[in-house]
Amino acid sequence: MSAHGPASTAAITPAMSAARAADIAATLDLRRLPADFLANPYPVYARLRETEPIKRLPDGSVFLTRHADLVAVYRDAQTFSSDKQVESGPPYNHAPFAQPPWAVAPGVSPLFQHHTSSLVFNDPPLHTRVRRIIMGALTRRAIEGMTPGLVRLVDGLLDQIEAQGGGDLIEDFASAIPVEIIGNLLDVPHAERGPLRGWSLAILGALEPALTPEQEALGHQSVKEFLAYLKDLVAARRRQPGDPEHDVLTRLIQGDGGEGLSEAELLHNCVFLLNAGHETTTNLIGNALISLQEWPEQRAQLMADLRAAASDEAREAVLGLAVDEFLRFESSNQLGNRRALAACRVGGVDLPAGALITLCIGAANRDPAQYSAPEVLNLRREGNKHLAFGFGPHQCAGLSLARLEGRIAIGRFLQRFPDYRLTATPLRGMRARFRGFLNAPFAVR
Ligand code: HEM
């Protein structure tokens, strides 16, 4: 088997020659990424790690690919800011949208306002305030309490798929799970969940390094529509609060005794929360089930390990290792961003104050300095310190929930359909930041 998986499914992750990888690496420009890179960026990442791990890009920013360098940046939040207020390049800038018809405040575009109000793109104090409130609702007990509902949801989807004899891995399964789980977290009425996924895809999609004017406009429009919807939901929840133990929206409205959130902060952080858990988790589940098709020996071994597990705990442990390896191998969120607040040194390279930094999670997660045989999917991998959820003070607030969703969705799918197979080459999203598939037709036997 090659480093890219077996030849029969090469069309899913096409191989790239060393010469081509070197070419793309030499002239890397996130605003102009070729299709073969988007289909399989890993040879380029490997080349960058070896030759230019702190790569200067044409716009003056730097692109980091080594695991140790990413950890150093993530860890030092005093030097490396997440605040996007002062960034001037897309996707955060508002200059080209100085007075768009959809502006939510004079001179500020909806996407700019959204991204600069959400906790992930802020430093303390806003970051600390919002994170504390959210984390209070994502305790181990609260997440364990979600298990029975998650199992019912997944089994219901599997029943429908069985009745149809197959379907689309993304549409009928992977994407149908997070929308319900995150919807439950904010207690969004079931009948109103329809537009959530579209808004989420458009808003997070607008974080891609290169955008068409149509994608940008759709991102703005989606923020506007999402906010309009949430205003009504928040007003209703203020009149009739839910149980703050389970309902994150009530929690965000009531605060935790400290300084509360302004109305704009409240709405934008709800939008972020609803988005953060959507496409990322969809792609974890979709990428995993598609990777198994590319790595039949790993699939056979995983099935054997699951059959051999003597207890529920042992089965959970097998699935836990597998989920973390799927996250490492095909990280659904491939890129992160920071800005140096002061002159600093990263990976032996001096950076000036103000330097914009892209953290390449997808590259760090395949760094041979950190992992043995990093280009090989190894579902029994132990000590897997991947960066798929980031690291440090901004590390994913939903990581336990995402892992639970992954274990239940992938585990129950494999148990029910051990012989599932893709019936056509799945269609990739072809995005640099969010790595996943748009659809993947399959049959259950
Ligand atoms: C496989 C699924 C997921 C992946 C790969 C993922 C990835 C990430 C990453 C890389 C970050 C860090 C961003 C940074 O440091 O700049 C992050 C932050 C965050 N994620 Fe996730 N995420 C996932 C699922 C979820 C879920 C299910 C939720 C909701 C419950 C969630 C909520 C958040 C929040 C609130 C933050 C911001 C944390 C902060 O800034 O302190 N994520 N996620």
Side-chain angles (χ1 to χ4, degrees), residues 352-417:
L356 294 178
I357 301 170
T358 298
L359 302 168
C360 185
I361 295 172
N365 279 345
R366 293 193 182 202
D367 185 344
Q370 178 67 27
Y371 310 98
S372 62
E375 305 288 348
V376 173
L377 181 76
N378 171 6
L379 298 174
R380 286 179 179 166
R381 193 181 289 277
E382 301 269 359
N384 185 349
K385 294 199 177 102
H386 65 73
L387 299 176
F389 292 121
F391 184 72
H394 283 276
Q395 191 179 38
C396 180
L399 57 83
S400 303
L401 180 55
R403 283 183 167 126
L404 178 76
E405 289 180 62
R407 287 197 306 275
I408 292 179
I410 297 164
R412 296 187 86 78
F413 184 96
L414 291 176
Q415 195 169 21
R416 183 81 77 94
F417 306 129

Side-chain angles (χ1 to χ4, degrees), residues 126-433:
L126 179 66
H127 171 251
T128 326
R129 251 188 303 143
V130 180
R131 186 170 171 106
R132 208 178 45 223
I133 297 173
I134 291 176
M135 291 310 285
L138 290 171
T139 58
R140 180 188 285 259
R141 223 185 64 206
I143 289 172
E144 273 167 13
M146 295 179 202
T147 305
L150 188 49
V151 167
R152 268 197 309 279
L153 166 67
V154 168
D155 286 354
L157 295 171
L158 295 175
D159 288 344
Q160 281 172 27
I161 290 170
E162 185 158 20
Q164 295 165 200
D168 188 294
L169 267 180
I170 310 301
E171 286 294 319
D172 299 329
F173 190 61
S175 71
I177 299 164
V179 70
E180 291 302 314
I181 296 306
I182 300 287
N184 289 346
L185 208 60
L186 278 92
D187 206 7
V188 174
H190 281 274
E192 295 168 16
R193 293 181 187 182
L196 295 182
R197 178 156 190 252
W199 287 332
S200 156
L201 286 172
I203 295 168
L204 287 188
L207 287 172
E208 284 299 303
L211 282 185
T212 62
E214 292 75 30
Q215 288 167 324
E216 243 165 46
L218 187 64
H220 290 301
Q221 187 60 31
S222 299
V223 172
K224 242 182 64 180
E225 289 174 11
F226 212 152
L227 288 178
Y229 168 70
L230 278 176
K231 268 185 195 138
D232 292 343
L233 187 72
V234 166
R237 200 64 51 86
R238 281 191 200 281
R239 286 193 301 274
Q240 204 170 3
D243 174 0
E245 280 293 310
H246 303 288
D247 170 12
V248 179
L249 183 51
T250 297
R251 232 186 148 78
L252 286 165
I253 292 171
Q254 296 180 345
D256 60 354
E259 193 186 341
L261 302 177
S262 71
E263 185 76 1
E265 287 168 351
L266 172 66
L267 294 176
H268 282 292
N269 279 288
C270 287
V271 170
F272 175 73
L273 202 56
L274 283 161
N275 289 343
H278 256 171
E279 201 185 350
T280 47
T281 316
T282 299
N283 290 346
L284 159 62
I285 299 167
N287 289 349
L289 293 172
I290 292 167
S291 289
L292 285 178
Q293 175 97 6
E294 285 195 279
W295 295 83
E297 290 162 20
Q298 284 296 309
R299 176 173 170 169
Q301 186 192 78
L302 176 63
M303 298 304 294
D305 288 349
L306 288 172
R307 273 193 304 271
S311 62
D312 285 352
E313 289 72 29
R315 192 181 149 78
E316 285 294 288
V318 169
L319 286 168
L321 283 187
V323 163
D324 274 295
E325 177 66 351
F326 289 129
L327 282 162
R328 179 193 75 82
F329 193 71
E330 285 285 15
S331 305
S332 30
N333 186 350
Q334 295 260 313
L335 305 177
N337 296 91
R338 294 294 187 269
R339 180 171 45 88
L341 293 178
C344 54
R345 203 170 163 76
V346 179
V349 173
D350 288 324
L351 299 179
L356 294 178
I357 301 170
T358 298
L359 302 168
C360 185
I361 295 172
N365 279 345
R366 293 193 182 202
D367 185 344
Q370 178 67 27
Y371 310 98
S372 62
E375 305 288 348
V376 173
L377 181 76
N378 171 6
L379 298 174
R380 286 179 179 166
R381 193 181 289 277
E382 301 269 359
N384 185 349
K385 294 199 177 102
H386 65 73
L387 299 176
F389 292 121
F391 184 72
H394 283 276
Q395 191 179 38
C396 180
L399 57 83
S400 303
L401 180 55
R403 283 183 167 126
L404 178 76
E405 289 180 62
R407 287 197 306 275
I408 292 179
I410 297 164
R412 296 187 86 78
F413 184 96
L414 291 176
Q415 195 169 21
R416 183 81 77 94
F417 306 129
D419 300 321
Y420 79 99
R421 60 184 170 83
L422 297 178
T423 50
T425 304
L427 184 65
R428 278 195 184 279
M430 299 297 271
R431 302 209 264 176
R433 190 178 294 269

